[in-house]
Amino acid sequence: MRLLYHNGMGIGNSYGGSTVEICILAGGLSSRMGRDKARLRLDGKSLLARVRKAAAGMPYDVRVIRRDLIARCGPLGGVYTCLKTTHCEAVLFLACDMPFITAAWMAKIVHANRGRGAAVFSRSGEGPGFPFLLRRTALPRVEEQIAAGRFSLHELAANCRAKILHTPDESRVLFNINTPGDAIKARAVNSVSS
């Protein structure tokens, strides 16, 4: 695995005749948290470091996106940035605020997209979201949503007719941290599993 940053262009690794790279989105405003979530620490490591470590378990190049080409579009700005600048056929998108994500779940998403579909999204109780995989061919749909001022990942999943992967209700793999209360819950979950 090579770790690349926003200006790096990953060449990815082959899977089924196409290529994949991983993009970790770490450029959000963290407004509900009140501070940069990527730097928030859990068990001595930043959230971003934990997600990078999980991504290192995959055979793909990794980029961290800290600045979007189009600002103020929520995660869609990072999605647009990755799809616009990738040389790969598909991008696996990770959020920097998911400290329990695993390489096994990422592999499941990549495997589910080996057909002709444009997208595979994870789903917990809140609907489709991170992590998800989009083929580069989804870029026009992302551009259309941004132009219309619609920044919903749920809408993107619907527009791409995404395959949805559900996690078991008790799974913590998709737990994400948005608020100080979520950070407290994450520390409790982490201490129970340690």
Side-chain angles (χ1 to χ4, degrees), residues 27-40:
L29 298 176
S30 303
S31 55
R32 289 182 282 172
M33 179 58 70
R35 60 184 269 209
D36 184 359
K37 290 189 290 185
R39 292 192 171 113
L40 186 69

Side-chain angles (χ1 to χ4, degrees), residues 117-135:
V120 177
F121 276 69
S122 299
R123 181 183 176 118
S124 60
E126 298 179 12
F130 288 99
F132 58 91
L133 187 140
L134 290 175
R135 291 187 180 264

Side-chain angles (χ1 to χ4, degrees), residues 7-132:
N7 293 327
M9 301 298 178
I11 57 171
N13 291 12
S14 181
Y15 89 111
S18 60
T19 56
V20 176
E21 76 169 326
I22 297 173
C23 283
I24 303 171
L25 303 187
L29 298 176
S30 303
S31 55
R32 289 182 282 172
M33 179 58 70
R35 60 184 269 209
D36 184 359
K37 290 189 290 185
R39 292 192 171 113
L40 186 69
R41 300 189 83 69
L42 180 63
D43 200 23
K45 293 182 183 162
S46 71
L47 294 186
L48 180 57
R50 290 176 69 100
V51 174
R52 277 186 186 159
K53 183 177 179 184
M58 297 294 289
Y60 308 120
D61 290 342
V62 176
R63 284 196 288 162
V64 176
I65 305 298
R66 292 188 179 271
R67 191 172 319 138
D68 300 338
L69 294 174
I70 302 175
R72 306 279 189 193
C73 299
L76 236 52
V79 171
Y80 171 82
T81 300
C82 292
L83 292 179
K84 189 75 173 172
T85 60
T86 191
H87 289 277
C88 297
E89 291 301 315
V91 177
L92 176 61
F93 291 93
L94 304 178
C96 70
D97 62 359
M98 299 181 85
F100 307 121
I101 194 63
T102 64
W105 186 256
M106 290 180 233
K108 189 173 182 178
I109 293 169
V110 172
H111 180 73
N113 192 254
R114 288 184 187 247
R116 296 183 178 208
V120 177
F121 276 69
S122 299
R123 181 183 176 118
S124 60
E126 298 179 12
F130 288 99
F132 58 91

Side-chain angles (χ1 to χ4, degrees), residues 175-188:
F175 184 90
N176 70 316
I177 297 175
N178 288 309
T179 66
D182 293 338
I184 292 167
K185 288 179 194 170
R187 288 185 184 101

